[in-house]
């Protein structure tokens, strides 16, 4: 059989379509790859190969997507062994399109984290350097695609949870417009921000997957789908397109990352695009607003894990309150507890306006900043992450330093707009991500621009596989 | 000092929709526990709510019936609290922007009408019957997610009796609309009362307490009266009324505190991010308006054009009686007052709690019987005695035969017999003791089993005796 490792998902789909390989052979190839993972990417791998898995290569699915009968724990002790009784709409759309579930990937617990070190089931290692983190929270999905243990994957992006690990692992991560993809069956972290997002080898695969994922779902009132079908990208020039660069002067930006990003801006100009620095006056406050809004929503979303109906229940209790307290104390990790407390506090009577109310105003301001920017430019571009992949344990003692990993990625979900991260080069031998954001529902244009740039950069997207 | 009570009430109404508020489970009517559930109403990981359009329609109908303004855009909030009856640990409810606000029913202003979802049912085993001290507590999620409408009045009521009367009008109104079973014992209609008192004539409000979940209007009235008396006693002793939530025990008549202000929950309301705002279109509002039947207040007014106000109100409030009365009147429009009186007195007595539509009595037959009584062709007491049978498959022809007044031929013979059998009475009548005629009339009535008109009998007796 052909070595599929060097092929994108779209290329493998062509082989299946032409009959050169069977879909079962493709599934089996990836099943063996996934079973051989030694980075901690997977929490569960399919045990058997279906007789006819479908027309597309299989997909690795972040643990927080409910898949009927398959362990889905959102990386948390409190849901250890939980078997959903239904399948998430996004996963079902993939299955119906012919992409069967290959495995469930490791993640930060309830998607809270930027390094995958908050998983209850151990960290994930970055395939480019095993002493470093893959980013998070969709760290398992990103590492699996980068390391060649999955052809493609889905994750969720709330404040950067797909784009940042894609950046740190040297792959493509696309966060769609809020509402483009159904959230039904995605174990919720922050409902007004969470979006199901592809993690792929290249831009074409991201477009192919988004085409399958998007659509209105009667089970998700906030879903809209996309107005037009996503075409596979084909642009090779950026003539006439205006790019607004944001954040290159930020203090926390690593100089090596800045240099690679600047050279990418030069590429844009070489391809006929124009680049100008742009100011998003409120975007710098995104982290502050995000770390009020997301924990506030999470404090309610995670309240259902009470030991009454499913999941972990403490054995150590005398009364109802004790059952609640000990179940949650035993079931949740440190970061989840921290955010539940922050969110509960932010919503408390007497503090609501000062915290939640103010954060919502900042959110509106950020959306207005983007709207104003898109009157002058077609895209806003930034580094995806201020640094390359950092060492395991480097930031675990300092939550604020960890939170700042999402500095460049948090404003877009607050505004509900789409953004892609593509690999644009190496700094100290580690991948650097370049982020392209556009107005709501501009995924087609973003993917076209990203594709032209991807071809020009020619990133050799392979750690040692 | 004279105190004036100030009362507002909050009513929770379970809507009679086909499915639950935010999922597609059918509503439960006494099914086996936990058989009307799905991942959404059990709050499994990853599920999302979807608003029930029929519940919104009913909510709009209620708002329009109460003369409220419909919010062009209203939103749901999450009301957070941990308890096993709330699987999400929050209730989806409405907070600062309700679906409807600012209406009126009768003399009482309506503050707001909003949509929310019901909780699950907890059953505690053990002697206490409450969660504290229970051996085990089990949860039945069948009720969980049932659509609720909460109706809140302004504090416009000034007595317990007025509050109960308002409750009955609201209940009748909702029943008439068909949006709820409004059964207080089964909990499809639940009433809380906010009670405060203030020195008569003063404008500022006193500290209020909340009386929870009284399951009949009689208990509501007694509970409010008990609470007014308690507050008066507190103030008379120079004390202060504390803000608290109270439970009224109708058996002992006592009030117990459920929680004080300090123990009040901080529900941490915030906008429900899983739902988009409700923005009823003009078409939706018009559809709700078109679905409104004639409501009890309007019906009472209309019926009072022909009937005494009290009778009209009774017929309007008990929709099923009003419908039966109007159907009977349509069959024979000649005796509206008699028909109404028979409905609210004799028929009610025979029906008890039954709906006349569920009995075998046809409105046209009822009209025929009452018409014969009105025309003195049938005896009222015999007709009255025939009613219970008619509700249970009795034949109308037999009933009419058994209550038809005996004609003069038949009656003549019976009168003659009565005169012959009661010489003493005849003696007295002839001696001028007029009241002695009663004995003869009574004898005739006994003989005819009431099928005789008293006046006619007297006339015949006098004629025979020449007095």
């Amino acid at each position: 059989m052909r070595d599929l490792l060097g092929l994108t998902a779209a290329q493998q789909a062509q082989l299946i379509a032409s009959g050169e390989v069977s879909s079962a052979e493709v599934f089996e190839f990836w099943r063996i790859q996934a079973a051989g993972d030694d980075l901690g990417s997977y929490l569960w791998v399919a045990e058997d190969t279906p007789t006819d898995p479908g027309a597309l290569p299989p997909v690795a699915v972040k643990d927080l997507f409910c898949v009927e009968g398959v362990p889905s724990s959102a990386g948390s002790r409190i849901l250890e062994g939980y078997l959903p009784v239904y399948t998430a709409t996004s996963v079902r759309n993939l299955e119906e399109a012919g992409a069967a579930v290959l495995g469930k990937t490791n993640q930060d617990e309830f998607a809270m984290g930027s390094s995958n070190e908050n998983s209850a089931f151990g960290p994930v290692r970055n395939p480019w350097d095993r002493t470093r983190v893959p980013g998070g929270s969709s760290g398992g999905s990103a590492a699996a695609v980068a390391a060649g243990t999955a052809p493609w994957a889905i994750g969720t992006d709330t404040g950067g949870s797909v784009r940042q690990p894609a950046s740190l692992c040297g792959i493509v991560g696309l966060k769609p417009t809020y509402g483009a993809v159904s959230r039904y069956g995605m174990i919720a972290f922050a409902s007004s921000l969470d979006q199901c997002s592809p993690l792929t080898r290249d831009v074409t695969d991201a477009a192919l997957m988004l085409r399958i994922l998007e659509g209105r779902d009667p089970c998700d009132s906030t879903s809209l789908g996309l107005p037009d079908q996503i075409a596979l990208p084909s642009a090779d020039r950026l003539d006439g397109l205006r790019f607004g660069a944001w954040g290159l002067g930020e203090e926390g930006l690593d100089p090596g990352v800045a240099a690679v990003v600047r050279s990418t801006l030069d590429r844009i100009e070489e391809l006929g695009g124009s680049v100008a620095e742009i100011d998003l006056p409120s975007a710098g406050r995104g982290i502050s607003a995000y770390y009020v809004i997301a924990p506030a929503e999470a404090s309610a979303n995670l309240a259902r894990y009470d030991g009454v109906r499913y999941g972990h229940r403490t054995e150590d209790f005398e009364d109802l309150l004790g059952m609640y307290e000990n179940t949650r104390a035993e079931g949740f990790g440190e970061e989840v507890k921290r955010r539940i407390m922050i969110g509960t506090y932010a919503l408390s009577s007497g503090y609501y306006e000062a915290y939640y109310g103010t954060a919502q105003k900042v959110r509106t301001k950020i959306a207005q900043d983007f709207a104003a920017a898109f009157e002058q430019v077609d895209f806003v571009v930034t580094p995806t992450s201020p640094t390359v992949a950092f060492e395991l344990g480097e930031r675990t003692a300092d939550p604020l330093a960890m939170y700042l990993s999402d500095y460049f990625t948090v404003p877009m979900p607050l505004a509900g707009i789409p953004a892609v991260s593509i690999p644009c080069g190496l700094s100290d031998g580690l991948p650097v991500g370049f982020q392209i954001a556009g107005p709501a529902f501009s995924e087609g244009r973003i993917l076209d621009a990203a594709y032209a740039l991807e071809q020009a950069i020619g990133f050799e997207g392979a750690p040692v596989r | 000092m004279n105190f004036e009570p100030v009362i507002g009430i909050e009513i929770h109404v379970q809507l009679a929709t086909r499915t639950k508020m935010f999922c597609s489970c059918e509503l439960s009517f006494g099914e086996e526990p936990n058989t009307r559930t799905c991942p959404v109403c059990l709050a499994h990981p990853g599920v999302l709510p979807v608003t029930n359009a029929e519940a919104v329609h009913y909510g709009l109908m209620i708002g329009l019936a109460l003369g409220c303004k419909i919010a062009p855009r209203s939103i749901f909030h999450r009301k957070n609290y941990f308890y096993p009856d709330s699987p999400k640990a929050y209730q989806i409810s409405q907070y600062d922007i309700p679906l409807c606000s600012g209406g009126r029913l009768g003399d009482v202003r309506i503050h707001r009408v909003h949509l929310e979802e019901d909780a699950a049912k907890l059953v505690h085993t053990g002697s206490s019957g409450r969660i504290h001290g229970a051996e085990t507590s089990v949860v039945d999620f069948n009720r969980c997610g049932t659509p609720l409408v909460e109706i809140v009045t302004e504090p416009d009521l000034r007595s317990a009796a007025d509050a109960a009367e308002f409750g009955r009008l609201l209940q009748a109104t909702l029943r008439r609309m068909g949006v709820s079973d409004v059964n207080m014992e089964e909990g499809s209609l639940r009433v809380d009362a906010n009670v405060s008192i203030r020195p008569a004539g003063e404008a500022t409000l006193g500290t209020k307490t909340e009386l929870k979940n009284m399951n009949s209007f009689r208990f509501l009235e007694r509970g409010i009266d008990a609470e007014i008396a308690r507050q008066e006693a507190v103030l008379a002793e120079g004390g202060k009324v504390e803000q608290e939530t109270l439970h009224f025990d109708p058996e002992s008549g006592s009030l117990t505190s459920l929680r004080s202000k300090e123990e009040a929950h901080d529900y941490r309301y915030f906008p429900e991010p899983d739902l988009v705002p409700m923005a009823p279109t003009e078409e939706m509002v018009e559809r709700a308006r078109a679905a409104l039947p004639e409501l009890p207040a309007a019906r009472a007014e209309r019926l009072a054009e022909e009937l005494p106000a009290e009778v009209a109100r009774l017929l309007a409030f008990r929709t099923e009686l009003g419908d039966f009365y109007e159907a009977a009147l349509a069959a024979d429009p000649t005796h509206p007052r008699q028909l109404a009186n028979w409905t609210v007195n004799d028929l009610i007595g025979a029906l008890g709690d039954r709906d006349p539509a569920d009995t075998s009595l046809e409105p046209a037959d009822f009209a025929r019987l009452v018409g014969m009584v009105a025309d003195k062709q049938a005896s009222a007491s015999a007709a009255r005695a025939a009613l219970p049978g008619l509700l249970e498959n009795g034949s109308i022809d037999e009933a009419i035969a058994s209550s038809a007044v005996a004609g003069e031929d038949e009656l003549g013979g019976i009168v003659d017999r009565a005169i012959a059998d009661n010489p003493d009475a005849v003696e007295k009548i002839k001696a001028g003791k007029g009241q002695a005629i009663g004995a003869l009339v009574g004898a005739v009535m006994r003989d005819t089993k009431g099928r005789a008109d008293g006046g006619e009998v007297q006339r015949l007796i006098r004629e025979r005796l020449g007095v």
Side-chain angles (χ1 to χ4, degrees):
Chain A
M1 195 177 93
R2 280 187 58 168
D3 182 14
L4 301 175
L5 210 48
L7 303 179
T8 65
Q11 288 165 340
Q12 293 169 57
Q14 278 171 4
L15 289 189
I16 296 171
S18 70
E20 202 166 317
V21 292
S22 75
S23 64
E25 285 171 322
V26 172
F27 190 99
E28 182 63 10
F29 173 87
W30 288 108
R31 203 185 66 74
I32 291 165
Q33 286 292 110
D37 163 74
D38 59 359
L39 298 169
S41 305
Y42 284 93
L43 297 178
W44 176 87
V45 174
E47 280 158 23
D48 305 300
T49 292
T51 34
D52 182 15
L56 295 170
V59 63
V61 172
K62 188 177 184 178
D63 197 31
L64 60 67
F65 287 90
C66 288
V67 180
E68 187 179 345
V70 170
S72 302
S73 69
S76 181
R77 199 63 78 191
I78 210 159
L79 281 175
E80 190 169 6
Y82 170 71
L83 299 175
V85 295
Y86 72 105
T87 296
T89 302
S90 48
V91 175
R92 207 175 40 220
N93 285 344
L94 287 167
E95 287 176 335
E96 282 171 8
V101 174
L102 172 64
K104 298 297 293 293
T105 54
N106 204 346
Q107 60 165 100
D108 283 302
E109 183 178 5
F110 287 106
M112 297 180 188
S114 309
S115 69
N116 215 111
E117 291 163 294
N118 297 333
S119 168
F121 308 107
V124 179
R125 292 171 185 279
N126 191 314
W128 292 78
D129 177 345
R130 288 164 178 258
T131 67
R132 291 175 188 266
V133 303
S137 65
S138 309
S141 286
V145 173
T149 61
W152 52 1
I154 52 172
T156 55
D157 192 310
T158 307
S161 275
V162 155
R163 289 162 291 155
Q164 185 257 13
S167 169
L168 269 47
C169 290
I171 61 169
V172 173
L174 169 65
K175 185 206 90 75
T177 306
Y178 184 80
V181 184
S182 169
R183 290 184 295 117
Y184 189 72
M186 255 164 58
I187 297 177
F189 160 24
S191 312
S192 73
L193 298 156
D194 296 341
Q195 265 295 287
C196 168
S197 308
L199 293 122
T200 55
R201 287 275 185 87
D202 70 359
V203 174
T204 303
D205 278 1
L208 180 61
M209 191 183 265
L210 179 62
R211 181 196 280 181
I212 297 164
L213 290 172
E214 66 91 8
R216 204 190 110 58
D217 178 7
C219 292
D220 176 0
S221 314
T222 64
S223 74
L224 291 162
L226 293 173
D228 303 306
Q229 205 200 45
I230 291 293
L232 294 189
S234 57
D236 52 8
R237 297 281 303 166
L238 297 172
D239 293 316
L241 292 174
R242 299 156 302 166
F243 292 75
W246 174 67
L248 285 170
E250 293 296 339
E251 210 178 296
L253 180 59
D254 177 85
V257 170
V260 178
V261 169
R262 284 192 190 284
S263 72
T264 307
L265 296 177
D266 294 342
R267 299 268 189 182
I268 289 175
E269 289 180 329
E270 287 162 28
L271 294 173
S274 64
V275 177
E277 299 257 336
I278 195 160
D279 189 22
L280 301 170
S282 299
R285 305 204 185 274
I287 289 285
S288 308
Y290 176 85
Y291 278 97
V292 172
I293 292 168
E297 293 179 6
S299 71
N301 283 334
L302 271 58
R304 68 188 56 193
Y305 308 111
D306 57 8
V308 174
R309 285 144 296 130
Y310 50 74
H312 176 71
R313 179 191 290 174
T314 184
E315 289 172 3
D316 168 25
F317 68 95
E318 307 249 302
D319 58 7
L320 179 66
L321 188 63
M323 197 274 276
Y324 283 155
E325 287 177 346
N326 292 346
T327 293
R328 291 165 66 79
E330 292 163 10
F332 289 138
E334 287 298 304
E335 182 61 24
V336 170
K337 287 177 190 165
R338 178 181 296 120
R339 294 199 198 184
I340 289 173
M341 285 189 278
I342 291 172
T344 303
Y345 182 78
L347 292 173
S348 300
S349 163
Y351 298 97
Y352 179 93
E353 261 317 307
Y355 292 103
Y356 188 81
T358 306
Q360 289 291 8
K361 284 180 196 137
V362 172
R363 185 174 189 173
T364 304
K365 287 246 176 229
I366 291 173
Q368 289 166 349
D369 281 359
F370 277 112
F374 291 132
E375 286 182 8
Q376 291 160 38
V377 297
D378 298 291
F379 306 106
V380 168
V381 291
T382 79
T384 307
S385 163
T387 66
V388 293
F390 42 94
E391 299 276 345
L392 282 156
E394 186 182 321
R395 296 181 189 172
T396 43
D398 185 353
L400 279 182
M402 189 73 89
Y403 295 172
L404 285 169
S405 313
D406 297 329
Y407 183 87
F408 294 113
T409 50
V410 147
M412 294 79 187
L414 285 172
I417 60 172
V420 70
S421 175
I422 60 168
C424 64
L426 299 177
S427 170
D428 295 331
L430 292 167
V432 173
F434 185 76
Q435 177 173 230
I436 308 170
F441 305 115
S442 67
E443 280 86 342
R445 291 193 286 121
I446 289 176
L447 287 165
D448 253 345
Y451 179 81
L453 209 46
E454 176 184 60
Q455 304 306 307
I457 293 166
F459 181 77
E460 284 303 320
V464 181
R465 283 178 176 145
Chain B
M1 193 188 287
N2 258 340
F3 289 104
E4 176 189 50
V6 176
I7 303 156
I9 66 177
E10 292 180 19
I11 295 195
H12 287 88
V13 188
Q14 280 183 345
L15 296 180
T17 49
R18 192 178 68 79
T19 57
K20 291 185 179 182
M21 187 67 215
F22 297 113
C23 67
S24 52
C25 288
E26 287 186 22
L27 298 195
S28 169
F29 300 94
E31 275 78 9
E32 285 291 296
N34 296 312
T35 53
R36 293 285 166 93
T37 61
C38 72
V40 176
C41 58
L42 290 174
H44 272 240
V47 297
L48 298 170
V50 177
T51 307
N52 182 338
E54 195 185 11
V56 177
H57 175 62
Y58 282 178
L60 291 173
M61 281 175 67
I62 293 171
L64 293 171
L66 300 179
C68 292
K69 225 179 97 216
I70 308 296
R73 180 185 172 282
S74 74
I75 60 172
F76 285 104
H77 270 65
R78 291 184 182 178
K79 179 182 181 181
N80 297 285
Y81 69 98
F82 280 98
Y83 208 60
D85 68 1
S86 171
K88 296 189 294 296
Y90 56 82
Q91 178 196 32
I92 303 178
S93 180
Q94 293 197 277
Y95 185 55
D96 52 0
I97 316 173
L99 183 66
C100 323
S101 57
R104 175 180 287 279
L105 181 65
D107 298 332
V108 179
R109 289 171 302 152
I110 304 295
H111 177 58
R112 59 186 282 158
V113 175
H114 79 235
L115 285 167
E116 57 185 33
E117 56 178 339
D118 209 346
K121 207 156 149 188
L122 293 183
V123 181
H124 308 295
T125 64
S127 53
S128 70
R130 299 180 64 176
I131 196 162
H132 294 290
E135 280 163 26
T136 53
S137 299
V138 291
V139 197
D140 175 6
F141 289 98
N142 281 358
R143 192 182 70 179
C144 188
T146 298
L148 288 182
V149 153
E150 181 178 323
I151 301 166
V152 183
T153 76
E154 297 290 352
D156 287 352
L157 295 153
R158 294 292 174 267
S159 74
D162 284 355
E165 190 54 24
F166 171 79
R168 288 190 187 97
L169 173 60
L170 184 56
Q171 183 186 40
T173 303
L174 296 169
R175 180 181 289 131
R176 176 72 180 151
M177 289 159 65
V179 294
S180 169
D181 296 339
V182 289
N183 184 324
M184 292 183 82
E185 271 170 32
E186 288 170 14
S188 55
L189 188 151
R190 309 198 276 267
V191 186
D192 306 334
N194 290 311
V195 179
S196 66
I197 59 173
R198 64 185 172 194
E202 230 170 72
T204 50
L205 293 170
T207 303
K208 70 175 179 191
T209 58
E210 189 178 9
L211 286 178
K212 273 280 177 205
N213 252 330
M214 281 151 297
N215 64 2
S216 81
F217 288 121
R218 220 155 37 83
F219 294 160
L220 172 74
E221 194 170 338
R222 283 176 49 202
I224 293 174
D225 274 333
E227 176 55 11
I228 291 169
R230 189 191 68 85
Q231 291 189 13
E232 282 178 351
V234 168
L235 294 187
E237 284 166 21
K240 258 181 65 187
V241 174
E242 299 291 339
Q243 188 179 326
E244 60 188 331
T245 304
L246 298 162
H247 171 75
F248 175 67
D249 178 358
E251 275 178 35
S252 65
S254 66
L255 293 152
T256 44
S257 180
L258 292 175
R259 59 175 176 267
S260 69
K261 190 186 178 186
E262 285 70 36
E263 293 164 319
H265 288 119
D266 178 358
Y267 289 119
R268 304 191 309 281
Y269 279 99
F270 76 102
E272 165 59 285
D274 286 333
L275 292 169
V276 292
M278 270 189 293
T281 60
E282 210 160 290
E283 194 192 335
M284 285 164 72
V285 175
E286 276 322 303
R287 205 166 68 81
R289 203 187 303 278
L292 288 182
E294 182 190 37
L295 297 172
R299 190 181 212 183
E301 233 170 86
R302 177 171 60 78
L303 294 178
E305 287 167 13
E306 270 189 311
L307 304 175
E310 264 312 300
V311 175
R313 249 168 41 83
L314 202 56
L315 289 173
F317 274 35
R318 281 191 62 177
T319 299
E320 74 284 7
L321 289 180
D323 290 349
F324 191 83
Y325 160 75
E326 296 211 56
L329 189 67
D332 176 7
T334 46
H335 306 289
R337 280 182 172 247
Q338 288 92 331
L339 209 45
N341 282 329
W342 270 78
T343 308
V344 302
N345 296 315
D346 308 292
L347 186 60
I348 283 185
L351 279 171
D353 283 339
R354 280 179 293 177
D355 180 339
D358 296 337
T359 71
S360 62
L361 178 60
E362 291 297 322
D365 293 340
F366 181 64
R368 205 173 131 206
L369 188 63
V370 173
M372 287 181 69
V373 174
D375 295 339
K376 300 196 189 298
Q377 290 165 5
S379 131
S381 56
R384 198 170 290 129
L387 267 183
L390 285 174
L391 299 176
E392 320 254 9
N393 282 322
S395 143
I396 183 67
D397 292 329
E398 277 175 29
I400 283 173
S402 70
S403 41
V405 165
E408 195 172 334
D409 295 347
E410 187 192 348
L411 212 49
I414 296 168
V415 167
D416 289 343
R417 201 155 52 239
I419 289 171
D421 289 352
N422 294 280
D424 291 358
V426 171
E427 203 80 352
K428 283 177 185 161
I429 295 164
K430 284 184 170 164
K433 289 187 176 166
Q435 67 268 41
I437 201 166
L440 294 183
V441 174
V444 173
M445 286 302 182
R446 267 194 303 281
D447 223 7
T448 59
K449 296 200 175 96
R451 288 183 302 109
D453 182 67
E456 177 69 2
V457 173
Q458 285 203 25
R459 193 184 64 75
L460 286 173
I461 295 170
R462 289 209 166 87
E463 197 183 88
R464 297 280 199 281
L465 299 182
V467 293

